Amino acid sequence: MMRKVSGVLALLCAAMLAGCGGGEGGGAGDSITVGFSQVGAESEWRTANTRSVKEALAPPEFNLRFSDAQQKQENQIKALRSFIAQGVDVIAFSPVVETGWDTVLQEAKAAGIPVVLTDRAVKVSDESLYATFIGSDFVEEGRRAARWVIEDSEGKPGPIRIVELQGTVGSAPANDRMRGFKEVIGEDDRFVIVRSQSGDFTRAKGKEVMEAFLKAEGGNIDVLFAHNDDMAIGAIQAIEEAGLKPGTDIRIVSIDGVRGAFEAMKAGKLNATVECNPLLGPQLAQLIRDVHAGREVPRRVVVEEGVFTQDQAEAELPNRKY
Ligand code: AHR
């Protein structure tokens, strides 16, 4: 009998804790209202990221107001202003581009709403305009891609002609990946980047720009570096349609490590992918809890990642969560 009563009490306690957000943030029914502005739905990576954020910022602990910016900064600024007007507890967002945020972030600060950056960084004059930033080290991802190219080209004479499919113009991943890649590839004078153009992180644009590269360069392309897997997958299609063998005639490295990339590697069409983990939801949720509770948080939280090659694709594919 006693055991039954204490069991019921334990259940009641658990229900009460769940009701008040696992013991965080005050009285029962107190949820943290988060305004989240997402970049868009441009890639497999982004879809996985959105899912992870929505799962982690779920009721009853969180009351999530989610807005999709469709890759447009003006839409994000509108969304942030609307979150400020609604008086949300915390704003989180993944900025489409790096610059142009000072004014709206000042407005959030004046309203006393803390801002957490996720995935992509901003360049602002006053660092106190955001509380913390969780995301990958995009410069290092670019370096990793270049190191793979150098390793893969061992013993090959120069010139080795590279084309680059860049991400969204002005975005942190496009700027940083380009910087990291150039820094490392520039140390070996066999390599020359013959063409660089944005494919806006999408498959359709990746294909279109690769078609233009192939038209301009003919069979004179040795390596493709794509800032994300989706653009590489689009480019693979363009390469096949041009009668060439992706992965053989043109060696290909991209970034993200989504399932589509592993499938392309398994088929021998993509040579390597540098991991960029989109499953930021749980860590983001913890930062939001901490910021909301006024606890100190690190200024920067970096996500741990690796590099995968064709020979690992088959074994790794069943483990991929995105
Ligand atoms: O900001 C992360 C980048 O954005 C991913 O690499 C890309 O796939 C996405 O669209």
Side-chain angles (χ1 to χ4, degrees):
M1 177 66 184
M2 262 317 272
R3 219 184 289 147
K4 243 189 199 165
V5 171
S6 57
V8 171
L9 274 175
L11 274 176
L12 266 174
C13 282
M16 278 168 68
L17 273 176
C20 67
E24 307 280 347
D30 246 4
S31 56
I32 305 174
T33 299
V34 182
F36 186 93
S37 170
Q38 179 60 291
V39 168
E42 72 284 2
S43 61
E44 262 191 67
W45 189 101
R46 188 65 54 196
T47 314
N49 179 250
T50 294
R51 209 183 314 121
S52 172
V53 168
K54 284 186 174 170
E55 276 168 16
L57 300 182
E61 184 182 4
F62 293 99
N63 169 23
L64 175 64
R65 307 211 175 139
F66 184 90
S67 170
D68 177 336
Q70 298 175 338
Q71 297 238 70
K72 291 200 174 74
Q73 182 177 35
E74 72 226 54
N75 291 348
Q76 283 200 302
I77 292 177
K78 263 190 220 151
L80 299 194
R81 290 213 162 108
S82 143
F83 296 148
I84 296 168
Q86 291 166 46
V88 299
D89 296 315
V90 179
I91 288 175
F93 81 116
S94 173
V96 179
V97 291
E98 284 191 289
T99 55
W101 299 105
D102 291 72
T103 309
V104 71
L105 292 184
Q106 272 151 10
E107 291 165 21
K109 192 178 177 184
I113 302 174
V115 173
V116 175
L117 297 178
T118 171
D119 162 35
R120 298 183 181 180
V122 295
K123 281 191 177 131
V124 280
S125 49
D126 172 5
E127 295 275 299
S128 80
L129 291 177
Y130 64 91
T132 177
F133 165 43
I134 174 176
S136 305
D137 182 341
F138 295 138
V139 179
E140 185 53 29
E141 289 172 354
R143 290 190 194 115
R144 285 180 185 153
R147 282 186 207 118
W148 179 84
V149 171
I150 292 173
E151 240 178 76
D152 185 60
S153 310
E154 211 192 300
K156 288 184 194 164
I160 298 172
R161 298 166 63 85
I162 302 174
V163 294
E164 181 187 29
L165 278 171
Q166 300 181 344
T168 302
V169 176
S171 69
N175 292 342
D176 292 353
R177 287 170 184 170
M178 180 175 55
R179 184 149 62 87
F181 187 83
K182 277 193 177 156
E183 178 193 305
V184 171
I185 217 77
E187 289 166 4
D188 187 329
D189 57 18
R190 287 174 304 156
F191 295 100
V192 34
I193 302 177
V194 289
R195 304 230 160 220
S196 287
Q197 201 179 310
S198 170
D200 212 13
F201 282 130
T202 68
R203 281 186 196 200
K205 259 308 195 107
K207 178 169 188 267
E208 194 184 305
V209 177
M210 190 67 206
E211 280 166 357
F213 286 167
L214 286 161
K215 214 166 163 198
E217 298 296 330
N220 237 343
I221 299 171
D222 302 301
V223 177
L224 163 65
F225 166 45
H227 287 193
N228 81 344
D229 292 338
D230 281 77
M231 290 189 294
I233 291 166
I236 285 170
Q237 234 183 302
I239 295 168
E240 284 178 324
E241 284 171 16
L244 296 169
K245 263 187 113 185
T248 307
D249 295 329
I250 300 178
R251 308 287 285 173
I252 307 173
V253 58
S254 55
I255 297 179
D256 277 354
V258 297
R259 285 189 78 84
F262 278 82
E263 273 150 16
M265 285 200 290
K266 204 174 147 196
K269 298 177 181 186
L270 175 74
N271 301 97
T273 184
V274 175
E275 190 180 29
C276 177
N277 186 358
L279 307 179
L280 306 179
Q283 277 175 289
L284 173 66
Q286 189 52 47
L287 286 170
I288 290 173
R289 275 182 207 114
D290 289 343
V291 162
H292 181 58
R295 286 190 285 266
E296 218 173 286
V297 288
R299 285 290 300 161
R300 174 79 168 102
V301 180
V302 183
V303 185
E304 298 254 318
E305 289 145 350
V307 179
F308 296 94
T309 48
Q310 267 181 7
D311 49 315
Q312 298 163 294
E314 190 154 2
E316 179 60 21
L317 196 50
N319 306 327
R320 298 310 289 170
K321 293 194 175 62
Y322 55 92

